[in-house]
Amino acid sequence: MNNQTIVRRHSIPVRVGTIIVGGTHPIVVQSMTNTDTEDGPGTARQIEALWKAGSELVRITVNTEKAAAQVPHIRDLLLQKNCPVPIVGDFHYNGHTLLEKHPACAEALAKYRINPGNVGYGQKRDRQFSIMIETALRYDKPVRIGVNWGSLDASLSTRLMDENGRLAKPKPTAAVMREALILSALQSAELALQLGLAADKIILSCKVSSVPELIAVYQDLSLRCDYPLHLGLTEAGMGIKGIVATTAALSVLLQQGIGDTIRTSLTPEPNGDRTLEVKVSQEIIQSLGLRAFNPSVTACPGCGRTTSSVYQELASSIQLFLTDHMPVWRKHYIGVENLHVAVMGCIVNGPGESKLANIGISLPGSGEAPIAPVFIDGQKAATLRGANIAGEFQALVEDYIARSYLKI
């Protein structure tokens, strides 16, 4: 993939288990389980599924004594399955207590997520935050200081609103709230530094649920620190709404070089596939040319020239074929994720798009001769006819991969 057009913001690299976030390292995809962490085997199964889908970090809720006690067992179950994905512990309200009382949990996690708005109130806040940072120091763990619009430090936001109200020309409320988010993250990071946590152990995030606000927050935050930034539109929503909103927000920021790791926070459909959020994150990154995860398929949208469903069925079968075979290909061929396939539906754009792909097929549209030319690296290589076009084209794709990519 070509990443020459996007200049990444400089950030300090942070190691999270086997993964490095920030610096010149690839943008990291992460996700979060929605299982009850007290159910260790169930949580381990979902972590494994997310990892197999491409999640390079997986966050889990650690909210009870039983959940904390399960964390080392979850890690061990994953290692038994040869699933080395780093696990991140998500703490709110009682994280200081759980980390102190369950050292095996503190040791098993690869990173702690701390929400400054939910650490504690008044004099307890700094003390309880300090306990979590000291635990991170003891076990040499990085932390993500993750501020959320919906759980912002009330005392900080109130103070800033009061100060703004006394100005001759008060700022808009949204601007003050954005500043509160950023200050909460930066001041918490400064406190962590004072407690001895190194700068290369800190990742920041400031999540909101509004696309324009998220863009504005991160544009400002990126100019005021060099910590790696985790991007995510919190509470993005369900289905197409959540996908579109997340894509709109994260694409703008990533195009500007802002962001080192991302999550797509989709509300799952009833009995839906949790791995969808991983696939969306991968598609966002790959569509911007920042990183390749899977072969891309250019497919004709259809029009009055393509009344036949043949090209739709072929595009679908090729997509499934690539998805099903990628786990094996990835193990055997270097760079196969960069493969570009075209499945087109008529003569208007079919030959041109097929020539631009590594391998492409131009199916006949309405009234066209029942033949399907195949182009490989810009040159016509074959002409397919008959009822088994899909199978023959898939064989050509496999042959192309075997000839074009270095075998491991």
Side-chain angles (χ1 to χ4, degrees), residues 19-136:
I19 301 296
I20 301 178
V21 177
T24 59
H25 296 273
I27 294 167
V28 173
V29 172
Q30 61 179 279
S31 54
M32 184 175 184
T33 60
N34 61 353
T35 55
D36 183 348
T37 309
E38 292 185 11
D39 174 10
T43 299
R45 284 193 296 271
Q46 190 174 83
I47 292 172
E48 183 184 20
L50 291 166
W51 175 70
K52 285 182 176 179
S55 184
E56 294 157 304
L57 299 175
V58 178
R59 182 158 46 109
I60 64 174
T61 298
V62 186
N63 59 337
T64 66
E65 298 266 359
K66 290 182 179 179
Q70 281 296 316
V71 170
H73 301 302
I74 292 169
R75 178 204 54 191
D76 292 344
L77 285 171
L78 293 170
L79 291 176
Q80 290 170 18
K81 297 179 179 182
N82 296 314
C83 176
V85 63
I87 307 171
V88 180
D90 194 62
F91 295 98
H92 299 270
Y93 310 113
N94 61 350
H96 59 291
T97 300
L98 296 176
L99 287 171
E100 272 196 316
K101 293 181 70 173
H102 294 272
C105 168
E107 187 277 329
L109 293 168
K111 184 178 73 172
Y112 310 152
R113 184 281 174 103
I114 304 174
N115 183 341
N118 290 339
V119 170
Y121 304 97
Q123 295 180 343
K124 291 182 178 181
R125 181 177 60 242
D126 286 355
R127 180 172 58 82
Q128 293 175 177
F129 180 83
S130 297
I131 290 171
M132 299 185 75
I133 297 300
E134 288 163 1
T135 305

Side-chain angles (χ1 to χ4, degrees), residues 184-247:
S184 179
L186 294 178
Q187 290 177 355
S188 297
E190 181 59 32
L191 178 55
L193 291 175
Q194 292 172 11
L195 292 166
L197 194 66
D200 65 357
K201 295 289 186 182
I202 299 173
I203 297 171
L204 299 185
S205 67
C206 290
K207 290 187 175 184
V208 302
S209 56
S210 160
V211 171
E213 293 295 341
L214 188 84
I215 294 170
V217 166
Y218 275 95
Q219 286 174 334
D220 193 352
L221 178 61
S222 69
L223 297 174
R224 295 166 66 173
C225 73
D226 54 5
Y227 299 113
L229 301 180
H230 167 65
L231 304 185
L233 187 74
T234 191
E235 289 91 39
M238 181 180 285
I240 192 68
K241 185 271 179 188
I243 293 172
V244 171
T246 297
T247 303

Side-chain angles (χ1 to χ4, degrees), residues 338-350:
N338 294 296
L339 177 69
H340 179 194
V341 179
V343 180
M344 301 301 294
C346 80
I347 199 171
V348 173
N349 292 314

